[in-house]
């Protein structure tokens, strides 16, 4: 019967978070804190190693007191915030205001860039009559990011872990995405960058396609195969 709907992950799939250096610079500028170049580079390296930037590098090590919080961080907005600020506090920054400012920064549209082919692929799915839902492990609402970058018009539904209290690979989140689009999972494709989390859709019967979580300028065409997969089993556009 073909692919009638596509579920997309958010971070690392449709969008990529800014580099940790740009994230830190924005927070320093907002607070008016000045640091020398050597200190700046050190703070950036330490924050990156700590995994303090959501959507950035994973922590090299999760401290034992944060382990349980980290494992369920995407099930609740408060847990998400506490987990990432907890990781950031492993780095001794020059001003305590920076921890909150850094966390808030990552939720803003300027902190994110869509992959170069995201609009092309989402627009192509819309023209083909294929429904699109964003299914994301996340602790906040990314719709302002989509709106700011002109992609919200292509998304029919957002299924966000913190609103459902479960996170991928739990099949309940993928099922909610399929139900939001009104399609049987067997006619839905999941596209994501995490083989463990996003691969859980296969247990529901969805087809799954993976992309590489790379910087935006290193992955100009990673989403285009999605259109080829849809076209390989064409369906009639919906009215």
């Amino acid at each position: 019967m073909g692919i009638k709907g596509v579920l997309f992950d958010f971070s690392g799939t449709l969008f990529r978070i800014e580099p940790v250096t740009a994230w830190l610079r924005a927070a320093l500028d907002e607070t008016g804190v000045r640091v020398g170049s050597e200190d700046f580079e050190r703070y950036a390296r330490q924050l990156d190693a700590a995994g303090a930037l959501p959507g950035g590098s994973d922590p090299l090590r999760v401290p034992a007191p944060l382990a349980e919080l980290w494992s369920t961080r995407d099930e609740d907005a408060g847990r998400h915030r506490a987990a990432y600020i907890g990781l950031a506090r492993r780095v001794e920054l020059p001003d305590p205001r920076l921890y909150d400012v850094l966390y808030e920064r990552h939720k803003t549209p300027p902190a994110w860039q869509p992959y170069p082919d995201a609009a092309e692929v989402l627009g192509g799915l819309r023209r083909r009559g294929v429904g699109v839902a964003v299914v994301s492990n996340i602790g906040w609402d990314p719709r302002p990011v989509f709106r700011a970058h002109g992609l919200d018009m292509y998304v029919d539904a957002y299924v966000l872990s913190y609103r459902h209290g479960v996170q991928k690979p739990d099949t309940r989140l993928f099922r909610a995405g399929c139900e939001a689009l009104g399609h049987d999972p067997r006619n839905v494709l999941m596209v994501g960058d995490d083989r463990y989390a996003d691969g859980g859709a296969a247990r529901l019967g969805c087809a799954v396609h993976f992309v590489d979580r790379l910087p935006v300028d290193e992955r100009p065409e990673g989403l285009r195969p999605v259109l080829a997969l849809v076209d390989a089993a064409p369906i009639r556009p919906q009215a």
Side-chain angles (χ1 to χ4, degrees):
M1 295 178 64
I3 296 172
K4 297 181 178 181
V6 181
L7 311 178
F8 284 97
D9 176 50
F10 166 54
S11 173
T13 300
L14 291 174
F15 284 83
R16 175 74 176 184
I17 191 66
E18 64 189 343
V20 67
T21 50
W23 176 59
L24 176 58
R25 175 55 61 196
L28 290 169
D29 288 345
E30 181 174 338
T31 55
V33 176
R34 299 288 179 260
V35 299
S37 59
E38 289 188 8
D39 285 337
F40 177 85
E41 294 298 330
R42 176 168 54 86
Y43 294 140
R45 287 194 305 270
Q46 291 175 341
L47 287 166
D48 188 52
L53 173 58
S57 301
D58 291 330
L60 294 180
R61 182 182 67 84
V62 178
L66 292 176
E68 191 277 333
L69 185 63
W70 175 256
S71 68
T72 58
R73 65 193 180 280
D74 293 315
E75 295 180 2
D76 176 81
R79 297 181 71 81
H80 189 272
R81 182 186 187 90
Y84 281 103
I85 290 183
L87 290 174
R89 288 189 181 279
R90 296 179 62 198
V91 180
E92 189 175 347
L93 296 175
D95 190 309
R97 294 176 297 165
L98 287 167
Y99 301 106
D100 286 324
V101 172
L102 283 168
Y103 183 81
E104 293 302 321
R105 164 70 186 183
H106 101 273
K107 298 192 295 181
T108 64
W112 296 88
Q113 285 296 315
Y115 281 95
D117 55 347
E120 171 192 343
V121 170
L122 292 175
L125 292 173
R126 175 56 55 91
R127 290 190 294 274
R128 288 163 171 79
V130 176
V132 169
V134 172
V135 179
S136 178
N137 280 353
I138 196 167
W140 50 278
D141 190 345
R143 282 178 291 188
V145 174
F146 280 81
R147 287 196 292 268
H149 292 279
L151 299 186
D152 182 63
M153 69 179 75
Y154 302 122
V155 179
D156 300 295
Y158 294 84
V159 178
L160 310 174
S161 61
Y162 81 101
R163 289 188 168 173
H164 289 260
V166 295
Q167 58 190 40
K168 299 180 290 186
D170 193 310
T171 56
R172 287 175 290 179
L173 212 59
F174 303 111
R175 185 177 298 280
C178 294
E179 291 175 349
L181 296 180
H183 296 309
D184 187 290
R186 292 170 294 180
N187 301 123
V188 174
L189 172 68
M190 175 68 208
V191 182
D193 67 295
D194 188 320
R195 280 164 171 73
Y196 172 69
D198 299 313
R203 298 201 301 272
L204 196 62
C206 297
V208 180
H209 176 72
F210 295 110
V211 295
D212 295 322
R213 186 176 67 175
L214 294 170
V216 166
D217 59 357
E218 294 180 22
R219 208 195 79 191
E221 301 179 351
L223 292 167
R224 287 182 181 170
V226 172
L227 295 179
L229 290 170
V230 170
D231 292 339
I235 60 175
R236 275 189 315 181
Q238 300 169 356

